[in-house]
Amino acid sequence: MRLTVKSATLLGLVALIALAPLFFPSGFYYRVGALIFVNGLAVTGIVILTGWAGQISLGHAGFAGIGAYACALAPVHWGLHPALAVVLGAGVSAVLAWLVGRPILRLKGYYLAVASLGMGILISMVLNNERALTRGPDGIEVAELGLRAVLKDAGLELSNGQFWYFLCGLVLLAGAWLALNLHDSPTGRALRALHGSEVAARTVGMDVARLKLQAFVISAVYASVSGSLLALQNKFITPDVAGFMHSVEMVTMAVLGGVGSVFGAIFGAAVLTLLPQVLTVFAEYEQLVLGAVMVLVMIFLREGVVPSILRKIRGGGE
Amino acid sequence: MKTFLTTTALVALGLAAPALAEIRIGASISATGPAAFLGDPELKTLEMLVEELNAKGGINGEEIVLVAYDDNGDPNKARTFATRLVEDDEVVAIIGGTTTGTTMSILAVAEDAEIPFISLAGAIDIIDPVKPFTFKTPHTDRMACQKIFEDMQKNAITKIGMISGTDGFGASMQAQCKAVAPDYGIEIVADETYDPKDADMTAQLTKIKGTEGVQAVLNPGFGQGPSIVTRNYKQLDVGLPFYQSHGVASDGFIELAGAEAAEGVRLPGTALLVAGLLAADDPQKPVVDAYKAAFEEKTGTPVGTFGGYAHDAFLILTDAIARAGEAEPAAIRDAIEATTGLAGTTGVYSFTAEDHLGLDLSAFRMLEIKGGQWTLVE
């Protein structure tokens, strides 16, 4: 019996999240794991948008910024529970993505890349300059989620690192599961069809603009939730989270691992999150190594690391 | 599966077992990235001092091991490295946090783990309210404002214009100056801002120049922005007394702005910049001279205020460890808090349970640039 891509990906993720801690020599690795999962979640959104619908966004960090600052501001100003602030951030991101995407995605081509680039920069500027609200470039403290204390009362005592590792892992798992369900749904098929040929998709009666818009909104929610998780975990957030480089990082992770595959994208997130930790010894050459890795992957493994390797393995068997 | 392999590689790198009789000190510094001009001298200073101290036999016979990471000025990375220092490298204290953002990230980890942490960043929020394990060496931006306003008061200046950078440093100092200005009877009649990456600030300066009653101009900011403001100020021939912040207290500023444009600019700086002009009985003179000589010989570049912050952090920490007699985080913390009259390059430090900065206004010297050189204002 052959496993479907969906069950193989989910099983792989579950095994990874559950078993990896057995190999952790210290609490620090929980932190790295949690970061990988947070980045993996954002990158899963990129897979839906870029890998399946074929649209490119260079402003997704803006949505992460909205998610992060929702968690920083809503509990203080409106007395909202941080968990609800995550939902609020996701809602605001979705509405904004809809407003930006609706006029832009009627056009054919790469207009979304430019529009989202501008949008991301605007969000970052607002976070930097609206000092009365966001406290500006020095950043702002974020309220405690409080879930860890609840778990402790229920008899499950986790260290801070462990708690965020498993929470982020579970959210990533849920995110990957939803994305993989979408992949096999009529909407997912339609998205992949329009990626293949927009003209053909239109000819068979698909509402191309609406489909692209759906993908953009969904991926914005993924980015927003990842930003929220980062803010709640760090308990402190600066406008850097919405910066242009963070947007580029998300796209790079997806492309490196394989933008058409959820598992591949999460793998890309893992590599690019781990590299700076492995490369601390030659921190000065970190950018150089990253660049070289990207160039080599683009030349030799054009679909991204995971899909290319899988193809090679299958190609040998078939 | 690749992840496992990489993790195993990490394990191998991280698990260099600590030898006996060594004291592990951690640092997360922004040696590259947008704050590199602060972080680079800080890291070089720490490396130099560790080497120096070990050559002299360490502290109480124990060798110092510095575990330093470069956080690129990214608060998220700083938090990761702080976690790594605490959980994996098992350091007894952390120095670092070049910027306020990275400091706030490290602070949360250090306080959680109850590890003493000495920050190199300016904002007052770091030590106000006082957190048990967090200390810092630079003066706050509020103190810089107070020092400048004191000087203005002496010169009977009551109405000023401000032009501030919108980066963290400029924004924070702008807010602090506005808060303390009334205490000195000073009114801010013009309040302009610029983006740190702007190439020209003539428009804002023209507006300030045209404002009724302005008697002096103050420019909180760091990096290249203030140099451009200073050049534009000269080009527009504003002609009013011009004050810069401690953010540009380095020879690099005079070089960038040009000696001609910088002529007459006043700013609050540290003893380090005017090492040659200090009185022979100045308590800071020996430490300033020693650091200046060692740093300039080692790196071939002039000393700056920022490397001095790292120097003082290391001095306070090693002094505390020596007095504590044991390299235990709680004992080190108590010893730091008990520090009195320790002369550093930035000022003379005396910490208390209520004061984790340990400096007062006297640590600042009012400096004026004359003929491309720093001079003391009496």
Side-chain angles (χ1 to χ4, degrees):
Chain A
M1 195 190 88
R2 272 190 84 157
L3 283 170
T4 61
V5 173
K6 180 177 149 189
S7 42
T9 304
L10 290 178
L11 276 177
L13 274 178
V14 170
L16 209 66
I17 295 168
L19 297 179
L22 298 178
F23 300 90
F24 289 172
S26 80
F28 160 64
Y29 296 87
Y30 285 104
R31 160 76 180 169
V32 178
L35 278 183
I36 291 176
F37 300 153
V38 165
N39 287 333
L41 187 66
V43 170
T44 304
I46 301 282
V47 167
I48 297 174
L49 180 71
T50 309
W52 300 346
Q55 304 301 309
I56 290 177
S57 164
L58 293 176
H60 256 52
F63 298 121
I66 291 177
Y69 273 81
C71 288
L73 299 177
V76 179
H77 292 279
W78 305 297
L80 214 57
H81 189 275
L84 289 176
V86 178
V87 179
L88 174 76
V92 173
S93 296
V95 170
L96 188 69
W98 189 81
L99 286 175
V100 173
R102 197 169 149 71
I104 293 297
L105 288 169
R106 294 177 167 272
L107 305 168
K108 202 162 157 264
Y110 291 112
Y111 291 97
L112 183 69
V114 179
S116 58
L117 175 69
M119 181 208 67
I121 291 174
L122 279 175
I123 293 173
S124 160
M125 280 176 74
V126 167
L127 294 179
N128 267 305
N129 293 331
E130 286 306 312
R131 256 177 273 146
L133 190 64
T134 66
R135 292 220 256 130
D138 275 346
I140 185 168
E141 272 146 40
V142 181
E144 168 70 45
L145 181 59
L147 186 58
R148 202 174 130 215
V150 174
L151 286 178
K152 197 177 171 186
D153 290 342
L156 184 63
E157 201 170 342
L158 293 172
S159 77
N160 195 36
Q162 286 169 334
F163 170 73
W164 283 106
Y165 175 86
F166 288 113
L167 182 65
C168 296
L170 284 177
V171 176
L172 172 66
L173 210 53
W177 179 67
L178 288 173
L180 290 164
N181 275 346
L182 178 74
H183 182 266
D184 296 334
S185 73
T187 310
R189 285 175 210 283
L191 284 176
R192 283 176 285 150
L194 86 88
H195 186 192
S197 163
E198 212 171 312
V199 177
R202 213 187 285 267
T203 315
V204 295
M206 289 174 186
D207 188 345
V208 169
R210 201 173 133 251
L211 283 166
K212 287 195 278 188
L213 187 57
Q214 276 178 348
F216 187 50
V217 170
I218 294 171
S219 68
V221 170
Y222 272 87
S224 175
V225 173
S226 96
S228 295
L229 284 176
L230 189 68
L232 288 170
Q233 179 182 174
N234 285 2
K235 283 196 251 169
F236 185 81
I237 199 79
T238 66
D240 291 340
V241 68
F244 173 61
M245 280 321 285
H246 190 201
S247 293
V248 174
E249 223 173 77
M250 287 185 197
V251 177
T252 316
M253 285 172 178
V255 173
L256 175 76
V259 75
S261 128
V262 171
F263 192 78
I266 294 170
F267 171 79
V271 170
L272 287 193
T273 312
L274 279 172
L275 262 188
Q277 294 299 325
V278 181
L279 296 180
T280 46
V281 193
F282 12 77
E284 285 160 42
Y285 302 104
E286 187 190 317
Q287 302 295 331
L288 192 79
V289 174
L290 280 183
V293 167
M294 271 321 282
V295 171
L296 289 177
V297 166
M298 286 298 99
I299 293 174
F300 296 109
L301 306 166
R302 218 163 295 163
E303 288 165 83
V305 175
V306 171
S308 302
I309 289 177
L310 279 180
R311 179 179 297 254
K312 287 236 165 81
I313 296 170
R314 286 206 191 117
E318 276 163 23
Chain B
M1 279 309 111
K2 272 280 164 66
T3 324
F4 279 127
L5 286 179
T6 329
T7 318
T8 331
L10 262 177
V11 175
L13 280 174
L15 265 193
L20 285 171
E22 61 173 34
I23 299 172
R24 298 170 71 80
I25 295 176
S28 179
I29 306 259
S30 314
T32 59
F37 69 103
L38 306 169
D40 182 57
E42 289 171 357
L43 187 60
K44 281 183 182 150
T45 299
L46 287 180
E47 283 167 348
M48 179 189 87
L49 291 174
V50 168
E51 211 174 286
E52 247 176 41
L53 193 62
N54 283 336
K56 281 187 218 151
I59 304 174
N60 300 339
E62 294 186 39
E63 195 188 347
I64 305 286
V65 176
L66 177 73
V67 188
Y69 297 118
D70 173 10
D71 58 36
N72 295 121
D74 174 355
N76 189 38
K77 267 194 187 166
R79 186 180 168 103
T80 308
F81 283 133
T83 313
R84 184 168 180 176
L85 288 170
V86 169
E87 303 263 4
D88 209 48
D89 300 315
E90 297 180 355
V91 299
V92 295
I94 300 176
I95 293 175
T98 302
T99 64
T100 302
T102 53
T103 290
M104 296 309 275
S105 295
I106 300 169
L107 188 157
V109 177
E111 288 292 334
D112 249 10
E114 308 199 332
I115 299 275
F117 166 48
I118 306 180
S119 162
L120 312 176
I124 194 165
D125 298 354
I126 298 165
I127 42 99
D128 181 29
V130 170
K131 294 143 196 96
F133 285 86
T134 306
F135 302 82
K136 79 185 207 80
T137 53
H139 322 79
T140 64
D141 31 24
R142 178 186 289 253
M143 291 167 72
C145 296
Q146 287 169 331
K147 188 77 184 179
I148 292 168
F149 289 156
E150 242 180 46
D151 192 66
M152 287 180 174
Q153 220 175 13
K154 274 185 215 155
N155 292 298
I157 293 167
T158 55
K159 287 187 172 152
I160 65 161
M162 275 176 69
I163 173 164
S164 319
T166 53
D167 53 304
F169 182 93
S172 172
M173 184 162 166
Q174 181 194 24
Q176 294 298 333
C177 282
K178 280 165 129 173
V180 297
D183 301 348
Y184 294 84
I186 285 171
E187 196 189 336
I188 294 158
V189 291
D191 188 15
E192 299 292 324
T193 57
Y194 59 86
D195 187 277
K197 291 187 210 88
D198 285 353
D200 187 274
M201 288 73 160
T202 321
Q204 292 97 317
L205 284 171
T206 309
K207 204 172 160 198
I208 293 176
K209 191 184 176 190
T211 306
E212 191 97 11
V214 173
Q215 292 169 303
V217 180
L218 168 60
N219 174 206
F222 75 179
Q224 57 181 4
S227 314
I228 300 171
V229 173
T230 307
R231 279 174 177 271
N232 290 161
Y233 198 82
K234 175 78 181 167
Q235 285 155 3
L236 284 175
D237 198 16
V238 181
L240 299 169
F242 188 37
Y243 289 83
Q244 283 287 352
S245 70
H246 55 312
V248 296
S250 73
D251 291 342
F253 167 71
I254 304 180
E255 232 167 80
L256 267 179
E260 197 194 339
E263 182 72 22
V265 168
R266 286 188 173 196
L267 57 83
T270 64
L272 198 55
L273 281 183
V274 285
L277 304 176
L278 294 178
D281 60 348
D282 194 303
Q284 283 181 263
K285 190 167 174 60
V287 55
V288 166
D289 284 347
Y291 171 54
K292 187 176 161 70
F295 186 86
E296 290 180 353
E297 194 203 60
K298 172 103 184 162
T299 65
T301 50
V303 280
T305 314
F306 314 115
Y309 295 153
H311 171 276
D312 292 356
F314 188 76
L315 185 69
I316 292 166
L317 183 59
T318 47
D319 172 72
I321 295 175
R323 275 187 291 114
E326 51 171 346
E328 287 305 317
I332 297 173
R333 190 216 83 91
D334 294 343
I336 295 177
E337 205 168 68
T339 302
T340 39
L342 182 70
T345 62
T346 312
V348 181
Y349 293 91
S350 296
F351 292 104
T352 65
E354 293 80 39
D355 179 12
H356 278 194
L357 166 62
L359 294 174
D360 56 24
L361 281 188
S362 70
F364 265 135
R365 322 262 165 153
M366 204 63 203
L367 308 178
E368 188 174 322
I369 300 169
K370 276 186 191 155
Q373 298 293 327
W374 300 101
T375 59
L376 278 166
V377 177
E378 294 310 324

